[in-house]
């Protein structure tokens, strides 16, 4: 089955700086790549997603890039704010299910 | 707004008990999922269902079963709870197959003693 890995496991950034989280996947047939954010004590929520026919997608301060050849995709958060502190999960899907990575803890230092 | 609710936020059960976790969604979604979340292990899929009375095993189905008698309700059953099933259980639903947004419930923190 699909195997998704995230790096780094923990990331600390100064408020206002950028944060980048990278994920790799194993199944070249995967075609959908969402990112979920989970704040402490809350449920995961989708923040952005990308499909395999697109290389990059942006939504305000958040962007995702996809490199199908290298089988990796990345989440970029610019101008980080304290409310960006959370665990971020990437995932990959090719059909009926998502395979999630283990998650990245992002800490934004005021 | 999509609402996914779970029957309990916190649950404490004894080893060997039969445990039912229930999930209800109000958006007429076809697909429903059960995950468990453990520190450092991310979200692992236990079972999912793409239609009433249909179910598929996920990555870690051992020790669990599921039931989907109505479209809006998906139950996770621990036939004989064990301490290694102590975890956070998250239910999710989506409009269709795996390449659509999944909406998560608030989670049930299950402790088996």
């Amino acid at each position: 089955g699909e195997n998704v890995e995230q790096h780094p496991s923990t990331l600390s950034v100064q408020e206002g700086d950028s944060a980048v989280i990278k994920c790799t996947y194993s199944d070249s047939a995967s075609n959908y790549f969402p990112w979920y954010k989970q704040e402490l004590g809350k449920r995961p929520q989708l923040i952005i997603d990308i499909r395999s026919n697109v290389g990059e997608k942006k939504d305000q301060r958040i962007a995702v890039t996809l490199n199908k050849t290298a089988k990796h995709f990345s989440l970029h958060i610019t101008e980080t704010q304290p409310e960006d502190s959370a665990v971020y999960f990437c995932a990959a899907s090719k059909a009926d299910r998502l395979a999630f990575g283990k998650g990245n803890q992002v800490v934004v230092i005021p | 707004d999509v609402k996914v609710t779970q029957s309990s936020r916190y649950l404490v059960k004894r080893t060997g008990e039969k445990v039912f976790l229930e999930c209800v969604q109000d958006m007429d979604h076809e697909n429903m999922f059960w995950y468990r979340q453990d520190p450092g292990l991310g979200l692992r899929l236990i079972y999912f269902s793409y239609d009433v009375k249909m179910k598929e095993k996920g990555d870690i189905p051992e020790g669990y079963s599921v039931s989907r008698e109505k479209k809006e309700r998906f139950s996770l059953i621990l036939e004989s709870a064990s301490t290694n099933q102590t975890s956070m259980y998250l239910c999710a639903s989506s409009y269709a197959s795996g390449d659509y947004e999944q909406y998560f419930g608030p989670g049930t923190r299950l402790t088996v003693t």
Side-chain angles (χ1 to χ4, degrees), chain B residues 5-97:
Chain B
T5 57
Q6 295 182 227
S7 49
S8 306
R9 289 302 304 271
Y10 300 94
L11 209 50
V12 180
K13 295 292 182 180
R14 293 195 181 276
T15 302
E17 278 193 86
K18 189 168 187 175
V19 181
F20 292 87
L21 303 182
E22 299 225 312
C23 175
V24 177
Q25 50 93 5
D26 68 355
M27 281 301 291
D28 203 33
H29 282 172
E30 301 290 333
N31 287 27
M32 296 187 75
F33 307 83
W34 275 107
Y35 295 92
R36 66 177 279 177
Q37 182 174 20
D38 300 287
L41 296 179
L43 297 164
R44 293 182 293 167
L45 182 64
I46 304 171
Y47 267 98
F48 69 102
S49 167
Y50 52 88
D51 201 352
V52 175
K53 296 193 187 295
M54 305 303 289
K55 62 184 179 184
E56 290 283 342
K57 290 181 180 179
D59 299 318
I60 51 164
E62 297 78 19
Y64 303 95
S65 62
V66 290
S67 172
R68 193 164 180 204
E69 296 296 319
K70 293 185 178 182
K71 191 175 185 180
E72 68 271 18
R73 189 180 298 269
F74 191 35
S75 301
L76 179 70
I77 303 154
L78 287 67
E79 294 288 343
S80 178
S82 64
T83 55
N84 62 12
Q85 292 179 309
T86 292
S87 186
M88 171 67 82
Y89 290 88
L90 288 163
C91 171
S93 72
S94 71
Y95 169 67
S97 59

Side-chain angles (χ1 to χ4, degrees), chain A residues 33-91:
Chain A
F33 307 91
W35 284 91
Y36 284 79
K37 176 184 179 183
Q38 187 177 30
E39 296 177 44
L40 189 63
K42 297 191 176 179
R43 69 191 77 188
Q45 290 190 296
L46 180 73
I47 54 171
I48 197 166
D49 56 12
I50 193 167
R51 297 183 189 273
S52 58
N53 57 349
V54 175
E56 183 174 355
K57 185 176 178 181
K58 191 173 181 181
D59 182 3
Q60 299 183 333
R61 295 186 298 107
I62 293 172
V64 56
T65 57
L66 172 64
N67 183 326
K68 287 204 72 183
T69 304
K71 290 191 282 188
H72 69 71
F73 56 111
S74 300
L75 178 70
H76 304 253
I77 307 173
T78 58
E79 300 172 18
T80 53
Q81 300 168 6
E83 54 264 36
D84 295 328
S85 293
V87 176
Y88 292 81
F89 293 98
C90 64

